[in-house]
Amino acid sequence: MIIQILVSGLVLGCVYGLIALGYSLIYKASGMLNFTQGDILTLGAFLGYTFYGVFHIPFILTVIIVFIIMLGFGMVLEKGIISKLVAKGTLPIYTVLATIAVSYIIQNGSMLVWGTQSINFPRIFHVTNIKILGVNIQTEAFVCILVSMICMVSLHIFMKHTRFGTSMRAAAMDPLAARSLGINVSLATGLTWGISAAVAALAGMLIGPLYGVYTTLGATIGRKGFASAVMGGYGNMYGAMLGGAILGLVETFTSAYISSSYKDLVAYILLITFLFIKPTGIFNERAIQD
Amino acid sequence: MGKHLLELKNLQYSYGNIKVVHGIDLYVDEGEIVTIIGANGAGKTTTLQTVSGLTAASGVKGEILFDGRNIGRTRGHLIAGQGLVQVLEGRHVFSKLTVAENIQMGTYIRKDKANINKDIDQVYEMFPRLYERRTQLAGTLSGGEQQMLAIGRALLCNPRMILLDEPSLGLAPIIIKEIFESIVRINKQGTSVLFVEQNSKIALNVADRGYVMQNGEIILHDTSVNLLQNEEVKKAYLGE
Ligand SMILES: Nc1ncnc2c1ncn2[C@@H]1O[C@H](COP(=O)(O)OP(=O)(O)OP(=O)(O)O)[C@@H](O)[C@H]1O
Ligand SMILES: [Mg+2]
């Protein structure tokens, strides 16, 4: 029983973590909040369903195709809307509003295309369950956790141990100095938004098979992802993941041992408590000064 | 007189409607070390940043010729690849990257991968303190060390010409001496240098020629030897 709860908690936690990661990366690169993250997750889930469930493209291929499409989507969002607004001298807070606008456009748009009903994501694996420590775990849940971990580790290696990833961090830290050394800061920023969108879409394809796909799937997850990023230390990649895991576990354990109707209550009380006792998050990030 | 390596012809720059550089002419020849001196707000930083494409292209008027090509409209990140790199005022190291990562970013545009490691070694040889601190975050370095890092990092772009904006800013005299010795050494090794300074005495002792800038205009231009003798310069900039 406890292992099953733990697994459900980690599934949620990983998905929150992937969304939180995007919030943090974008904050570092643009100093901006991007509230489209959750709805991009929804879009990713719908696209995944369409390619895999309707067109019967193999799941792995579906994931790759959607990842690339959403990478482009995130870059276009940044280059086509966000950086244009910033160049016009729009106040940051209005630019954040623009991301909220885009989020509703995605939500409503996907309603037009895929309807209002929750859609079942067809099963991905023939083996329904796998046994871990003598407990049956749904294969999709296991894969969700595994792929999320792989995604986080790859992103870590990319950002910390490749020249290009380091240049993206440098561009976020000091755009002027980065440009003086020949780093294309505009590309780096766009790519950051692209990666964040692609990772959110991936999260959608991981959670879709477990939760079903519907237009407001990402809305709640997006909010929780934002909360995770704050708890972890806004702007910190590792904090985002840890914050996600904590929130997912707290939520699932509350559902299991108290009542599922209290899970959001407990989660958000935890967030407020965090804001009071550790405003810089677990990883001590000074979001405002940075 | 042959072709200059860098030549500014009637260069003007405006931030929106406010013009701060009012048409300056300036040149640097291959192998030279040249300084621009002037008081706060004279427009020195604006001039340098305009040359290296770091100010908005929309504010630029006049010509910037580097090696005969007009680079006045070239965007910032493409300038370093042309062989022109700037060390920014206030150093601008990537504070949360390590020293080694900062150094690596200096090589970002390099295509001749084979020579990179040798060049990195050379920079560490020139500034041994950076080598000792290569795993440290750049933000934790002292001001002098940060300036060395900023210079070393710029050198790794393998530039034909290096621009430095107030390399002495906020540093103790002994460190300033060290920094300028390295600038002279870099110049001797074949890199042309244009630098901006408020510390006019040191600047004119190091440079071959100097320009005096005031309110966005060049009011004097001569060899450093002559400028050091000039009564006006003595009074206004050397405090004699
Ligand atoms: N981004 C900007 N927007 C508007 N005006 C600016 C901007 N940057 C500089 N200025 C103005 O341009 C003028 C020249 O500034 P600049 O920084 O080029 O001078 P400087 O000679 O480098 O001064 P200092 O010795 O203090 O560094 C100043 O009046 C300054 O207020
Ligand atoms: Mg200046």
Side-chain angles (χ1 to χ4, degrees):
Chain A
M1 175 68 176
I2 189 140
I3 292 192
Q4 262 147 355
I5 302 170
L6 202 66
V7 169
S8 314
L10 282 179
V11 164
L12 259 188
C14 283
V15 170
Y16 293 161
L18 290 178
I19 297 293
L21 210 64
Y23 273 107
S24 288
L25 284 175
I26 286 175
Y27 181 75
K28 278 273 150 122
S30 308
M32 195 79 70
L33 296 175
N34 171 22
F35 283 115
T36 63
Q37 285 289 97
D39 297 288
I40 285 177
L41 177 145
T42 311
L43 192 54
F46 273 126
L47 286 176
Y49 158 75
T50 307
F51 285 121
Y52 178 65
V54 181
F55 299 149
H56 303 292
I57 294 170
F59 188 69
I60 294 286
L61 211 58
T62 295
V63 168
I64 294 172
I65 294 171
V66 174
F67 194 88
I68 292 171
I69 292 177
M70 297 312 283
L71 191 79
F73 181 91
M75 288 190 76
V76 168
L77 176 65
E78 197 275 335
K79 286 274 125 355
I81 298 179
I82 306 303
S83 65
K84 289 254 157 60
L85 287 175
V86 172
K88 275 183 186 298
T90 311
L91 289 175
I93 193 147
Y94 297 162
T95 314
V96 172
L97 184 63
T99 71
I100 295 177
V102 171
S103 125
Y104 280 111
I105 291 168
I106 298 174
Q107 212 177 101
N108 259 317
S110 56
M111 201 190 294
L112 287 177
V113 178
W114 287 283
T116 49
Q117 300 294 314
S118 175
I119 297 172
N120 273 330
F121 205 110
R123 296 215 55 129
I124 303 165
F125 303 99
H126 296 303
V127 191
T128 0
N129 290 303
I130 48 171
K131 260 200 159 71
I132 294 175
L133 301 172
V135 183
N136 274 328
I137 306 290
Q138 201 179 334
T139 318
E140 277 84 358
F142 177 73
V143 168
C144 174
I145 297 171
L146 186 72
V147 173
S148 303
M149 297 291 179
I150 292 174
C151 183
M152 289 168 184
V153 171
S154 320
L155 205 55
H156 163 82
I157 293 173
F158 173 70
M159 293 302 277
K160 289 273 175 173
H161 299 288
T162 70
R163 207 172 142 81
F164 195 67
T166 308
S167 83
M168 286 175 67
R169 282 189 294 142
M173 232 171 266
D174 193 332
L176 190 67
R179 277 199 292 152
S180 80
L181 296 172
I183 295 167
N184 188 340
V185 175
S186 157
L187 178 71
T189 312
L191 205 58
T192 306
W193 285 64
I195 291 173
S196 303
V199 169
L202 176 71
M205 287 181 284
L206 294 175
I207 194 112
L210 292 160
Y211 281 53
V213 187
Y214 47 97
T215 44
T216 53
L217 169 68
T220 346
I221 297 178
R223 271 195 295 279
K224 297 268 173 55
F226 179 47
S228 310
V230 171
M231 289 204 307
Y234 210 78
N236 187 301
M237 265 174 64
Y238 313 103
M241 299 166 200
L242 191 61
I246 292 175
L247 207 59
L249 287 170
V250 165
E251 215 181 295
T252 318
F253 275 92
T254 309
S255 300
Y257 290 104
I258 308 173
S259 156
S260 70
S261 32
Y262 293 137
K263 69 179 186 350
D264 287 350
L265 185 86
V266 174
Y268 285 109
I269 286 177
L270 180 72
L271 173 68
I272 298 281
T273 315
F274 245 91
L275 288 179
F276 272 100
I277 57 171
K278 198 108 177 57
T280 52
I282 302 167
F283 276 76
N284 243 342
E285 202 71 26
R286 291 185 195 282
I288 304 303
Q289 291 173 3
D290 231 6
Chain B
M1 203 170 58
K3 199 174 65 179
H4 303 301
L5 180 57
L6 175 72
E7 185 170 13
L8 313 186
K9 287 185 178 168
N10 191 27
L11 180 72
Q12 302 161 52
Y13 191 83
S14 312
Y15 291 106
N17 295 324
I18 307 161
K19 198 182 233 185
V20 299
V21 176
H22 298 277
I24 65 174
D25 297 290
L26 176 154
Y27 68 88
V28 180
D29 284 329
E30 188 101 50
E32 267 195 311
I33 177 163
V34 175
T35 186
I36 305 174
I37 58 175
N40 282 118
K44 308 180 297 295
T45 296
T46 305
T47 303
L48 276 202
Q49 294 202 350
T50 300
V51 170
S52 42
L54 297 174
T55 53
S58 56
V60 185
K61 280 212 183 92
E63 279 181 61
I64 304 168
L65 300 171
F66 185 67
D67 202 18
R69 275 163 306 177
N70 193 345
I71 56 165
R73 301 244 132 211
T74 309
R75 284 172 63 219
H77 74 274
L78 297 172
I79 293 282
Q82 310 258 334
L84 188 66
V85 59
Q86 173 163 0
V87 178
L88 296 159
E89 179 177 338
R91 307 183 269 269
H92 282 262
V93 295
F94 300 116
S95 56
K96 289 191 178 170
L97 297 188
T98 64
V99 170
E101 285 171 331
N102 269 270
I103 289 284
Q104 185 194 28
M105 288 300 100
T107 68
Y108 185 73
I109 54 161
R110 292 279 290 270
K111 301 219 164 58
D112 54 331
K113 306 272 181 252
N115 301 323
I116 289 180
N117 284 339
K118 180 179 62 76
D119 290 352
I120 290 179
D121 288 345
Q122 249 177 36
V123 165
Y124 281 141
E125 236 165 79
M126 181 180 288
F127 303 116
R129 261 188 284 175
L130 294 183
Y131 184 73
E132 289 160 24
R133 290 166 171 72
R134 65 194 181 283
T135 59
Q136 201 171 314
L137 292 186
T140 64
L141 296 177
S142 74
E145 290 157 359
Q146 290 191 9
Q147 189 61 265
M148 292 170 196
L149 180 56
I151 293 174
R153 188 177 70 176
L155 275 181
L156 285 166
C157 294
N158 218 355
R160 290 181 67 187
M161 179 168 190
I162 189 165
L163 309 172
L164 301 111
D165 197 346
E166 299 207 34
S168 76
L169 192 74
L171 302 181
I174 180 149
I175 306 290
I176 295 178
K177 194 163 160 275
E178 204 176 318
I179 295 285
F180 274 101
E181 277 166 8
S182 61
I183 293 173
V184 169
R185 193 149 19 119
I186 290 162
N187 178 245
K188 289 236 166 74
Q189 287 164 1
T191 310
S192 311
V193 176
L194 173 64
F195 71 97
V196 155
E197 257 306 331
Q198 285 204 49
N199 194 331
S200 314
K201 197 165 208 156
I202 295 185
L204 292 173
N205 276 308
V206 168
D208 302 321
R209 288 184 299 115
Y211 291 84
V212 182
M213 195 163 182
Q214 192 181 306
N215 298 327
E217 290 176 65
I218 300 289
I219 55 161
L220 265 175
H221 162 220
D222 211 330
T223 61
S224 300
V225 178
N226 288 346
L227 286 174
L228 282 166
Q229 309 288 323
N230 184 303
E231 289 304 323
E232 222 179 310
V233 172
K234 272 190 186 171
K235 242 198 345 238
Y237 297 101
L238 299 172
E240 288 175 17

